[in-house]
Amino acid sequence: MPTVLVPIPTEDFDPTEAAVPWKILRARGIAVVFATPDGNPGRADSRMLTGRGLGMLVPVLKADANGRLAYAEMAASREFLHPINYAQARIADVQGLLLPGGHAPGMKPYLESSVLQSLVAAAFAARLPVGAICHGVVLAARSRGADGRSVLYGRKTTALTKPMELTAWSLTCAWLGSYYRTYPVTVEDEVTAALAASGDFKRGPVSTRRDAPDHLERGFTVRDGQYLSARWPGDAYRFATEFAGMVQTG
């Protein structure tokens, strides 16, 4: 049985971006190993689960019913309740690496972890399937190969787009402050700066409709060799389905 490593932070990861891939990978007969900083179970961004503080934007910004159900199932699973810690993770022990995203403050230790950046670089060097969604692409962009460049240099990718990030922030900043701005620099700008050419960043079609098990066409992904990327929770089903296929075919 192939195994995929899924590192997550202690708190604030996006529930859909972690749980939907977990559910699809497990359904395909692929084992999942979670890794957290201290080996204790992580906690998703509660605002994405409850909609607290999102006001009239709850239908657009809160995790949808599919994402919440997948998260409830994942949160009760043995693998989620018994993660390894970052230092125990070994790329040699797995057949794929999946990087969920999230935008709340608790994501920063994950995005800034030198241990995880080394793991990402090792996965690219070993030509393993690597999947990154939303802010997970920032972690990939910050990971450096043997040549000192980002592992994404020379590759095509997507991530949370500038219009998506700034729209969510501008509509909520009056009462949520910088909740939707993890860093002053947008995800798209940071990721694009790590690429060989600005045109290697792909925004994809404008859409506020999330994909679903029976509507994969609503999602958007970019594949470049053994690397797959997506933008937001609304791409999660297509992203996870394509990534599972990559792991199964090696």
Side-chain angles (χ1 to χ4, degrees), residues 14-244:
D14 184 87
T16 302
E17 293 172 4
V20 167
W22 166 83
K23 186 169 185 174
I24 289 177
L25 289 169
R26 294 295 291 147
R28 295 284 190 93
I30 299 170
V32 173
V33 173
F34 288 99
T36 61
D38 56 7
N40 291 317
R43 300 181 301 277
D45 181 351
S46 62
R47 198 183 301 276
M48 291 293 94
L49 292 169
T50 65
R52 174 179 51 86
L54 297 179
M56 293 184 296
L57 299 173
V58 166
V60 176
L61 299 178
K62 177 184 173 182
D64 67 5
N66 285 330
R68 297 195 305 273
L69 177 59
Y71 180 74
E73 294 173 355
M74 181 185 77
S77 70
R78 185 184 184 283
E79 55 265 39
F80 185 80
L81 294 173
H82 297 87
I84 61 175
N85 64 53
Y86 288 172
Q88 294 174 311
R90 299 286 184 272
I91 290 302
D93 297 335
V94 300
Q95 289 70 52
L97 174 66
L98 192 141
L99 308 174
H103 53 267
M107 286 292 293
K108 289 184 177 180
Y110 163 85
L111 298 173
E112 297 168 8
S113 169
S114 60
V115 174
L116 291 185
Q117 290 170 21
S118 294
L119 283 171
V120 173
F124 273 89
R127 301 181 184 275
L128 289 187
V130 176
I133 181 170
C134 196
H135 283 64
V137 181
V138 172
L139 175 56
R142 292 176 175 179
S143 303
R144 304 287 170 177
D147 61 1
R149 290 172 168 168
S150 169
V151 295
L152 298 187
Y153 188 87
R155 296 180 184 273
K156 293 178 173 57
T157 190
T158 191
L160 181 67
T161 68
K162 185 184 295 189
M164 286 178 167
E165 184 173 359
L166 294 184
T167 297
W169 170 74
S170 65
L171 291 175
T172 61
C173 64
W175 65 93
L176 294 182
S178 61
Y179 170 69
Y180 271 102
R181 294 293 303 278
T182 313
Y183 296 101
V185 176
T186 66
V187 168
E188 180 177 332
D189 283 342
E190 178 171 351
V191 170
T192 299
L195 305 179
S198 60
D200 289 342
F201 187 93
K202 307 299 181 182
R203 284 185 174 177
V206 176
S207 176
T208 57
R209 300 184 70 192
R210 296 174 185 245
D211 65 5
D214 56 345
H215 284 291
L216 299 184
E217 76 284 353
R218 295 177 185 166
F220 176 74
T221 60
V222 173
R223 181 172 178 179
D224 190 324
Q226 290 289 78
Y227 169 62
L228 182 72
S229 56
R231 305 168 300 179
W232 72 304
D235 299 328
Y237 276 95
R238 177 170 177 168
F239 170 73
T241 300
E242 292 182 4
F243 184 72

